[in-house]
Amino acid sequence: MELQVILDKIVQSKSIVIVPHHNPDGDAMGSALGLYNTLISFGKKDVSVIVPSAFPDFLSWMKGADMVLNFELNKNDVIHKIDCCDLLFMVDFNSSKRVKGMSEYIDSCKAFKIVIDHHPMPDNNVANIIISDIEVSSTCELMYVVLNKCGFKNYITVDAASCLYTGIMTDTGLLSHNSSRPETYHVVADLVEIGINKDQIHRDVFHSNSFNRMRLLGYSLFEKMKVFNDLKASYISLTSEELLRFEFKPGDTEGLVNYPLSIEGVDVSALFMEQNNRIKVSLRSHGNIAVNQLSEENFNGGGHFNAAGGESFYNMETTIEMYLKALPKFI
Ligand code: 5GP
Ligand code: MN
């Protein structure tokens, strides 16, 4: 029923906008551009991907990435596009707070709105149709299923499939977590069958580090990683001066928060990054530690049970204290 409506809306629409969340990652960009490329190959002429903030360089090979509009760089164009579109897709998020400064324009947009996402607890007022499944590995996996069921299978090109594959790989840490359902592997198999160059994608996404990014990783692990054995916890903090020293670019700290979790006995890890007068918080955990709740209660955020994010408007020292104080309740 909902799938039929989605198909009808795509067929009828004149101008389609696709929006992923702020600080878009592989899954957000993969699902947005996977959908974009499928709609273009289906014959839609006016489709735009709009990001609330810049995406990492290691995703710039994706077909259509060069056409993506960045709200932070093209405010007027973006506001006009959102105002004039008749179909709006929101991918890899489920509450308009997740697009930061763009939220007022998304909220007031009169277009038919569709959410495709895998985060818990969607805001039911955010869209006309909400396709939400927290069991899937990634929004990209869900996007593939939705496109397939809507009848677009033959329009999922190699370019679209490559984007979708990327999101599955980045959201599961190369199939190491969130990937215990056989369905995920059926989707991966379909994408391989469509003809993606899997090895090339892995080179582009995971083996395209800059010298500075590698040095930032080394510095973070050697100088800035703290481990608290009694709390089974760890954190890494990076000030804006430190980020500047390593010529930080979006995506450079992607995955950094996962490293401490590979230390035996560490079950929860945080990354605190000072950016634009606030501290961006990333949280990861093993097992039964609900970092989305920890983030919601302390850092104005949320996310998945074992992978969440948020922000703090306190200074670094206070933010770290808040984290260490909050932990005992969750471990
Ligand atoms: P990351 O640490 O990679 O930025 O985010 C980890 C997970 O938490 C992702 O699924 C992301 O969508 C979610 N997340 C990150 N920041 C926020 C936030 O401020 N609010 C909410 N609700 N989720 C977030
Ligand atoms: Mn995701």
Side-chain angles (χ1 to χ4, degrees):
M1 176 60 197
E2 281 181 335
L3 297 171
Q4 186 60 49
V5 177
I6 294 177
L7 173 60
D8 292 345
K9 290 289 173 188
I10 289 173
V11 170
Q12 292 156 12
S13 67
K14 290 202 163 52
S15 175
I16 303 177
V17 166
I18 304 168
V19 180
H21 58 75
H22 186 263
N23 268 334
D25 57 5
D27 192 33
M29 291 312 292
S31 52
L33 287 167
L35 173 62
Y36 169 87
N37 284 306
T38 304
L39 295 178
I40 295 291
S41 93
F42 179 63
K44 300 308 291 186
K45 297 278 179 268
D46 183 358
V47 187
S48 311
V49 174
I50 298 176
V51 289
S53 62
F55 59 87
D57 273 351
F58 60 77
L59 301 173
S60 59
W61 57 269
M62 288 180 172
K63 180 99 185 279
D66 54 336
M67 306 291 285
V68 170
L69 284 170
N70 180 346
F71 174 67
E72 287 179 347
L73 305 177
N74 303 291
K75 270 204 175 99
N76 291 338
D77 289 352
V78 165
I79 293 167
H80 181 72
K81 277 269 177 213
I82 294 175
D83 219 33
C84 298
C85 74
D86 50 8
L87 180 58
L88 179 73
F89 280 95
M90 300 179 229
V91 299
D92 203 33
F93 69 99
N94 60 23
S95 138
S96 63
K97 276 197 316 216
R98 293 286 290 124
V99 295
K100 294 275 159 77
M102 256 173 75
S103 63
E104 59 175 297
Y105 306 104
I106 297 289
D107 287 339
S108 62
C109 169
K110 298 280 183 287
F112 192 86
K113 296 174 188 168
I114 300 172
V115 162
I116 300 181
D117 178 57
H118 70 135
H119 291 88
M121 294 179 292
D123 168 2
N124 289 320
N125 299 317
V126 78
N128 302 86
I129 290 182
I130 298 174
I131 305 282
S132 167
D133 185 349
I134 66 167
E135 298 297 318
V136 297
S137 65
S138 52
T139 297
C140 280
E141 177 184 337
L142 182 59
M143 181 65 77
Y144 177 80
V145 172
V146 169
L147 288 171
N148 227 339
K149 287 189 177 163
C150 284
F152 291 110
K153 183 161 172 76
N154 293 333
Y155 300 97
I156 303 174
T157 58
V158 172
D159 291 324
S162 302
C163 297
L164 298 176
Y165 176 81
T166 300
I168 299 176
M169 288 305 131
T170 54
D171 255 29
T172 61
L174 299 167
L175 297 172
S176 71
H177 47 78
N178 297 343
S179 48
S180 298
R181 295 159 57 257
E183 289 87 342
T184 303
Y185 297 85
H186 295 152
V187 171
V188 170
D190 282 2
L191 297 173
V192 172
E193 194 148 353
I194 288 170
I196 61 167
N197 187 341
K198 187 180 78 63
D199 295 7
Q200 183 64 46
I201 294 172
H202 285 252
R203 277 196 293 278
D204 289 340
V205 177
F206 300 105
H207 301 156
S208 61
N209 293 321
S210 64
F211 185 52
N212 270 320
R213 184 181 180 188
M214 290 306 276
R215 291 180 67 234
L216 175 61
L217 168 65
Y219 173 75
S220 302
L221 297 180
F222 189 62
E223 299 275 354
K224 303 303 309 268
M225 181 174 66
K226 308 288 176 226
V227 172
F228 301 83
N229 290 319
D230 49 334
L231 291 169
K232 298 184 174 234
S234 172
Y235 74 80
I236 294 170
S237 63
L238 293 168
T239 63
S240 36
E241 288 77 24
E242 288 168 321
L243 293 170
L244 199 64
R245 178 174 158 201
F246 294 97
E247 296 176 26
F248 172 81
K249 289 209 292 295
D252 278 358
T253 51
E254 197 73 45
L256 179 56
V257 64
N258 292 306
Y259 281 89
L261 276 188
S262 66
I263 300 172
E264 197 178 358
V266 171
D267 287 337
V268 56
S269 164
L271 171 66
F272 303 106
M273 260 169 53
E274 191 182 41
Q275 274 185 313
N276 313 325
N277 300 320
R278 65 174 187 126
I279 293 172
K280 157 98 183 84
V281 181
S282 280
L283 296 161
R284 299 291 185 274
S285 68
H286 286 318
N288 203 26
I289 303 172
V291 287
N292 53 356
Q293 195 188 335
L294 194 158
S295 184
E296 212 176 301
E297 291 178 12
N298 297 278
F299 301 120
N300 316 295
H304 305 284
F305 194 92
N306 294 121
E311 59 189 352
S312 162
F313 299 97
Y314 296 97
N315 66 21
M316 187 64 89
E317 203 186 328
T318 308
T319 303
I320 292 170
E321 266 172 34
M322 287 165 69
Y323 166 66
L324 295 175
K325 249 178 135 167
L327 275 175
K329 179 177 160 190
F330 294 91
I331 55 180

